[in-house]
Amino acid sequence: MSLLQTGRRRTKLDHSYNDRPRQGPFRHISPAQLSLERVHEQNRLGTPKKDGTKASEQAPGKSAKGKPRLLLMGQRRSGKSSISSVVFHKMPPNETLFLESTARIQKDSMHSFMDFQVWDFPGQVDFMDPSFDLDAIFGEIGALIWVIDAQDDYLEAITRLNGTILNLQPSYPNVNIEVFIHKVDGLSDDYKLDIQRDIMQRIQDELSDHGVENAPINFHLTSIYNHSIFEAFSKVIQKLIPHLSTLENLLNDLCRACRFEKAYLFDVLSKIYIATDASPVDMPSYEICSDYIDVIVDVSEIYGWDRPKEYIKSLEGPPWNKKLEDQTACKDAESAIVLTDGKRPIMLREVNKYLALVAIMCEGSYEKMPTVIMNVEGTVKGLIEVFEITKERR
Amino acid sequence: MEAQMDNLTMQDKLASSPSDEPRKQKKKKVLLMGKSGSGKSSMRSIIFSNYIAKDTRRLGATIDVDLSHVKFLGNLTLNLWDCGGSVYLKLAGEEEMLTSTDARQDAFMENYLSQQRQHVFSNVGVLIYVFDIESRDFDRDLLTYRSIVAALSQFSPTANVYILIHKMDLVVPNLREDIYNDRVSLIRSKSDAFDPTPFATSIWDQSLYKAWAEIIHDLVPNLDQIEKHLGSLGKLIMAEEVLLFERTSFLVVSSWTSNAIITSDKDHPAQNPTYDRNERLSNIIKNFKQSTSRYTGTPKSAEQLSIFDLKMPSFSMFLIKFTTNTYLGVVLPPGEERYNAAKLNCYIARTQFEDLDSPARKSADRAASSTEIVAES
Ligand SMILES: Nc1nc2c(ncn2[C@@H]2O[C@H](COP(=O)(O)OP(=O)(O)OP(=O)(O)O)[C@@H](O)[C@H]2O)c(=O)[nH]1
Ligand SMILES: Nc1nc2c(ncn2[C@@H]2O[C@H](COP(=O)(O)OP(=O)(O)OP(=O)(O)O)[C@@H](O)[C@H]2O)c(=O)[nH]1
Ligand SMILES: [Mg+2]
Ligand SMILES: [Mg+2]
């Protein structure tokens, strides 16, 4: 069953004071109730004496083959574990204050529209160590995410990043390197850009001194306290998606046909968007779509309970005389919202178990919903086909 | 909402004669009391002024009384008296608490003490007394509560009393129930002739909405009629549930649940197992309002939502702007026809509910009589 339809799983009947207190916005309601497999738990239990830095001994088994890997690296306390907890485990940002320093590589397998792994490294791992089996780590890599604490002195972080890049270049020239200039909350916009410029310059200078030009490095300004971290992850993950351009074209067509302002294809679990149309992404539209998904998941949690069979039967009797599923126009979740200013209604349509299409419509669209829905129906079919093709290839 | 909340200080209020309480209007005086720092202003700001829990950390201690007028449905106006904990204690006659270093305030207190006592405790419809679960000295809190209750029995013996055991989030989950029950029974025993209604609350979850929804529910004047109509509407459209939300606080002021969900099957309950769904919904919508306000660029206090449609394979739901002061939420079995017919009927029912919501909108003579009748009851 999809998350959209039943809400996040609850382990027990909720009882007002047996729950953890809710923190701030609703998206944080049930941490860790995701279909994430805590692989590292097993690692920890199975290999109690092993040193985390000996990553070669924790090389993934067969099951991990073919699953792109996102590696989170950077200095101690730069925020790697916070990022992975907030994005993939729905931890409320302020609770990351209590995270302990990571001693061993933490591996999370994520089963979603695409299976991938997130590896959270301890800050002090030294890849220059010749005993290190680089292939075990970088063999299946999807992206190397280097986290730099923008509120701290970052020179050493850059030196280490450069060292890592130079070390990797000979054998893995195509590894995507994503630099997260992190903890930019509380920094002024000007200052953020200054830092970014400075960091980019320092990396480029040093790399070209070593004869490395045009290494594939991207920069993102991030913070766990707002949507920027989700946005950055969205961009990182999109590079791993086969047929991304087909997905994007489908969304472009939909936007053109319905005069939508913006359309996102969301992974409901992480609320990372895995594709969007060609118009520029603006934070407010991403945020509202993301929060809208939360509302639907939360409402479903309340009302998506199993109705008794006899009741269902009575609904299928007179005057309807139809199976319940034949009484609905759409087999999947469908929603729309109109705000008082009337200007940009929003619609949501479930695509499959993991994905939802959320779009910012234009003024007057709500009145033309039947046409909109027809168009969306076509797009959804197209999207599903793309994912089926991808699966067959695997 | 902010526009409607004119914060008068005690001085302003005292300038006018205390006897000018208008009789005709359904103004209900609601006293919000409790030790300084117990969370009174926090809850008021969350329920009525679109604060989120985190925002309350910025609130300073309330000096004397923060008075706000909150317009509600059924021509009800709440006269909410948020009484700063560091001051009202003296009203109850606890002179030993006069330790304030603020000379201005002391002078103020001495001048008005006797007047205020009567002024504050007369004509009270509801007393909401907040106990901070973290308080070090519960005995002392009880003592204070007792003097407040004494003052209330003297000037407003018919008032309803609610006690909120607040900041429950700070207690270890498995101790919550015991501590709560323990406190409640002690407080009950110090309540004179009043029979207080207790709630366990926290600003960090939906429990706050539950308490306030029930308090408001008891205050709305023509609620019987509203409830009756809500039930007939629910039956007519074959809904599973119908909810009436107050427009700004998004408190559920009234709800109706169908009893058509029959079963003889023990494993499948005929009831939605989420029993605290009303307050959860309030919380969800209130939080989403924060996002929509950012999205539309309109203030949080402005009305945000107009229509929300949701069609799921196991249920459908809509939420619409309903009458001047309300939103209507409807939960239905799935089905396109059912959905469309229900929505249409709800829009038709709007005018009827509008009359119940704001009787003043009726023609002048009818308005006068109906207002009187409701006011008397
Ligand atoms: N202000 C701010 N603080 C953050 C942000 N992300 C993480 N932090 C804080 O940074 C501190 C360190 O975070 P961790 O996630 O433990 O850092 P780490 O990189 O995993 O550290 P090691 O495991 O020791 O390598 C925590 O106190 C977090 O609350 C952010 O975006 N903004
Ligand atoms: N943990 C927790 N803190 C709360 C809760 N409610 C309020 N607080 C905090 O308690 C502090 C004091 O809250 P106020 O609302 O200013 O207290 P008050 O009762 O109005 O105090 P006075 O105006 O001095 O009478 C604030 O920092 C709030 O964030 C709660 O349910 N849980
Ligand atoms: Mg860590
Ligand atoms: Mg206060």
Side-chain angles (χ1 to χ4, degrees):
Chain A
M1 260 300 199
S2 79
L3 197 65
L4 270 184
Q5 289 179 19
T6 54
R8 299 180 181 95
R9 252 178 305 130
R10 261 171 303 160
T11 42
K12 52 174 185 266
L13 272 191
D14 52 310
H15 208 278
S16 34
Y17 282 108
N18 288 331
D19 280 0
R20 287 157 34 86
R22 290 197 167 185
Q23 303 276 322
F26 251 73
R27 84 182 73 103
H28 305 310
I29 147 181
S30 356
Q33 292 187 340
L34 308 170
S35 57
L36 283 173
E37 197 181 87
R38 304 299 302 240
V39 177
H40 63 268
E41 294 289 357
Q42 302 159 11
N43 288 343
R44 212 177 314 181
L45 295 173
T47 55
K49 268 180 291 178
K50 267 168 208 163
D51 186 346
T53 50
K54 285 238 176 148
S56 58
E57 289 178 289
Q58 295 183 354
K62 269 198 197 106
S63 62
K65 274 273 172 319
K67 292 178 191 168
R69 221 175 275 159
L70 302 176
L71 308 182
L72 280 164
M73 297 183 178
Q75 299 294 93
R76 269 204 160 161
R77 297 198 62 75
S78 57
K80 303 175 292 296
S81 306
S82 308
I83 292 174
S84 128
S85 309
V86 168
V87 176
F88 298 108
H89 296 276
K90 303 282 138 198
M91 180 182 276
N94 43 344
E95 279 181 21
T96 61
L97 288 169
F98 309 113
L99 282 175
E100 282 177 22
S101 187
T102 311
R104 294 183 177 76
I105 303 180
Q106 309 278 299
K107 300 171 185 172
D108 276 339
S109 281
M110 184 147 174
H111 304 294
S112 184
F113 64 98
M114 164 176 98
D115 289 349
F116 61 92
Q117 298 200 335
V118 180
W119 288 21
D120 172 18
F121 280 74
Q124 76 283 8
V125 178
D126 183 10
F127 298 102
M128 315 300 241
D129 187 334
S131 74
F132 223 81
D133 182 356
L134 286 179
D135 205 47
I137 297 174
F138 296 101
E140 297 279 348
I141 194 172
L144 167 58
I145 298 172
W146 195 275
V147 183
I148 295 178
D149 182 346
Q151 295 188 9
D152 198 13
D153 181 19
Y154 49 73
L155 291 185
E156 199 193 326
I158 291 177
T159 311
R160 278 191 56 212
L161 169 59
N162 285 331
T164 309
I165 296 175
L166 292 172
N167 203 21
L168 288 180
Q169 269 294 319
S171 342
Y172 312 97
N174 298 321
V175 169
N176 274 331
I177 294 164
E178 310 282 347
V179 178
F180 284 12
I181 302 171
H182 190 57
K183 306 195 192 178
V184 294
D185 45 282
L187 303 185
S188 77
D189 284 350
D190 284 348
Y191 188 62
K192 277 186 235 176
L193 293 178
D194 281 349
I195 288 191
Q196 175 165 359
R197 223 171 290 134
D198 186 48
I199 291 177
M200 287 167 80
Q201 197 61 49
R202 285 171 190 277
I203 293 174
Q204 243 156 39
D205 288 354
E206 193 172 335
L207 290 184
S208 59
D209 284 352
H210 288 83
V212 176
E213 306 280 353
N214 306 325
I217 307 178
N218 302 287
F219 295 87
H220 311 263
L221 292 165
T222 59
S223 163
I224 53 168
Y225 287 97
N226 56 43
H227 291 74
S228 61
I229 191 66
F230 293 91
E231 156 120 61
F233 255 102
S234 301
K235 291 190 171 144
V236 170
I237 284 187
Q238 282 171 31
K239 295 191 184 129
L240 309 179
I241 297 174
H243 304 292
L244 177 65
S245 59
T246 319
L247 299 176
E248 287 174 341
N249 286 338
L250 283 164
L251 297 178
N252 280 334
D253 292 345
L254 178 66
C255 286
R256 203 170 313 117
C258 297
R259 300 206 295 125
F260 283 174
E261 219 168 81
K262 190 89 198 125
Y264 294 99
L265 184 58
F266 269 96
D267 175 47
V268 175
L269 221 57
S270 61
K271 292 197 287 137
I272 285 170
Y273 64 89
I274 66 163
T276 183
D277 66 292
S279 70
V281 173
D282 64 316
M283 270 303 201
S285 80
Y286 168 73
E287 283 176 20
I288 191 81
C289 293
S290 163
D291 292 348
Y292 184 27
I293 290 180
D294 283 328
V295 168
I296 291 176
V297 170
D298 290 338
V299 169
S300 304
E301 182 175 305
I302 297 177
Y303 288 107
W305 60 291
D306 266 343
R307 271 67 169 175
K309 284 202 186 67
E310 286 159 69
Y311 173 60
I312 306 268
K313 218 175 266 165
S314 74
L315 294 172
E316 296 178 335
W320 314 99
N321 296 318
K322 247 195 230 172
K323 280 259 173 224
L324 210 50
E325 65 222 52
D326 296 328
Q327 295 180 33
T328 58
C330 171
K331 304 267 172 288
D332 305 303
E334 206 176 47
S335 177
I337 192 160
V338 184
L339 298 173
T340 307
D341 70 358
K343 281 189 192 117
R344 293 175 298 163
I346 308 165
M347 60 125 318
L348 176 145
R349 169 73 152 76
E350 185 174 17
V351 173
N352 63 24
K353 209 166 138 187
Y354 306 110
L355 300 174
L357 177 69
V358 190
I360 310 258
M361 306 194 281
C362 67
E363 201 169 345
S365 297
Y366 186 76
E367 288 67 35
K368 297 181 210 140
M369 269 323 259
T371 328
V372 169
I373 286 172
M374 235 173 57
N375 279 302
V376 168
E377 202 70 31
T379 308
V380 166
K381 247 191 214 141
L383 293 170
I384 291 173
E385 272 166 29
V386 176
F387 283 99
E388 267 157 18
I389 294 169
T390 318
K391 266 205 196 106
E392 281 162 20
R393 289 262 180 92
R394 279 268 158 86
Chain B
M1 175 58 69
E2 267 109 49
Q4 291 172 26
M5 291 187 70
D6 41 336
N7 287 337
L8 309 172
T9 63
M10 185 65 99
Q11 284 102 319
D12 296 333
K13 196 65 195 172
L14 286 174
S16 60
S17 127
S19 62
D20 71 352
E21 289 291 303
R23 290 265 168 264
K24 274 177 289 177
Q25 274 177 304
K26 281 154 285 181
K27 279 203 174 169
K28 299 265 185 165
K29 185 186 206 171
V30 177
L31 291 185
L32 185 52
M33 293 186 151
K35 203 173 71 170
S36 179
S38 56
K40 302 177 294 295
S41 305
S42 304
M43 53 178 81
R44 181 184 65 126
S45 311
I46 290 174
I47 300 289
F48 299 109
S49 306
N50 296 296
Y51 276 51
I52 53 171
K54 204 170 60 188
D55 297 342
T56 64
R57 300 208 176 108
R58 299 198 310 256
L59 287 168
T62 307
I63 308 297
D64 24 320
V65 179
D66 244 346
L67 234 160
S68 44
H69 300 283
V70 186
K71 287 221 176 71
F72 251 81
L73 69 166
N75 270 1
L76 168 71
T77 301
L78 294 186
N79 258 347
L80 191 59
W81 294 47
D82 176 0
C83 307
S86 41
V87 165
Y88 75 85
L89 300 176
K90 298 161 203 164
L91 303 179
E94 274 203 38
E95 303 294 335
E96 68 209 274
M97 292 295 286
L98 275 169
T99 52
S100 169
T101 51
D102 189 338
R104 184 198 63 80
Q105 200 179 305
D106 280 354
F108 167 78
M109 287 315 304
E110 265 152 40
N111 283 341
Y112 292 99
L113 194 64
S114 52
Q115 264 173 287
Q116 276 194 20
R117 191 172 150 95
Q118 176 170 13
H119 179 64
V120 170
F121 289 102
S122 56
N123 293 317
V124 173
V126 168
L127 166 68
I128 302 170
Y129 201 93
V130 184
F131 285 91
D132 184 343
I133 194 75
E134 252 207 327
S135 171
R136 297 270 149 67
D137 198 349
F138 181 61
D139 289 341
R140 158 145 227 124
D141 297 351
L142 265 184
L143 227 63
T144 318
Y145 170 72
R146 231 175 131 171
S147 24
I148 296 288
V149 162
L152 193 67
S153 345
Q154 188 187 346
F155 294 102
S156 300
T158 58
N160 286 327
V161 177
Y162 298 86
I163 49 178
L164 309 191
I165 314 297
H166 192 54
K167 305 197 186 176
M168 288 300 284
D169 57 287
L170 297 175
V171 181
V172 187
N174 56 12
L175 293 181
R176 281 171 185 164
E177 203 171 324
D178 287 347
I179 295 187
Y180 171 72
N181 289 335
D182 196 47
R183 296 275 156 105
V184 167
S185 68
L186 278 167
I187 298 168
R188 274 229 167 90
S189 70
K190 307 275 188 244
S191 300
D192 277 10
F194 295 105
D195 180 20
T197 312
F199 292 99
T201 54
S202 160
I203 56 168
W204 290 103
D205 64 25
Q206 65 276 3
S207 59
L208 190 64
Y209 289 92
K210 181 189 169 65
W212 279 87
E214 285 198 26
I215 295 168
I216 299 296
H217 180 276
D218 295 350
L219 280 170
V220 174
N222 46 352
L223 202 67
D224 311 354
Q225 289 180 59
I226 292 179
E227 253 156 21
K228 215 177 81 207
H229 282 84
L230 212 58
S232 349
L233 178 64
K235 278 190 202 105
L236 175 76
I237 61 177
M238 293 186 272
E240 286 181 0
E241 195 150 286
V242 182
L243 305 143
L244 196 67
F245 295 91
E246 195 277 325
R247 163 181 79 119
T248 33
S249 61
F250 267 100
L251 292 170
V252 177
V253 282
S254 177
S255 68
W256 171 87
T257 306
S258 162
N259 51 17
I261 309 183
I262 30 135
T263 182
S264 55
D265 180 352
K266 293 260 177 328
D267 296 330
H268 289 88
Q271 289 274 316
N272 186 333
T274 311
Y275 69 88
D276 59 351
R277 55 192 181 278
N278 290 5
E279 48 269 24
R280 273 180 191 261
L281 267 182
S282 300
N283 203 354
I284 293 168
I285 300 166
K286 268 305 251 307
N287 275 305
F288 190 54
K289 252 183 107 175
Q290 306 274 332
S291 322
T292 54
S293 142
R294 251 173 296 157
Y295 172 66
T296 57
T298 50
K300 282 183 221 163
S301 53
E303 216 159 82
Q304 299 288 341
L305 220 58
S306 165
I307 304 169
F308 170 66
D309 287 318
L310 178 60
K311 294 171 189 169
M312 291 288 184
S314 59
F315 74 96
S316 31
M317 175 179 190
F318 58 81
L319 183 73
I320 53 172
K321 177 77 219 288
F322 199 47
T323 62
T324 314
N325 290 303
T326 62
Y327 278 84
L328 184 73
V330 173
V331 181
L332 294 156
E336 202 68 14
E337 274 176 72
R338 201 180 273 121
Y339 190 91
N340 294 336
K343 207 163 163 191
L344 200 68
N345 274 307
C346 288
Y347 277 119
I348 293 170
R350 246 171 147 173
T351 43
Q352 191 187 9
F353 277 90
E354 189 65 66
D355 290 345
L356 293 168
D357 178 351
S358 346
R361 293 198 157 202
K362 291 184 189 176
S363 59
D365 54 327
R366 278 175 68 208
S369 59
S370 71
T371 313
E372 281 310 316
I373 291 164
V374 181
E376 293 307 314
S377 61

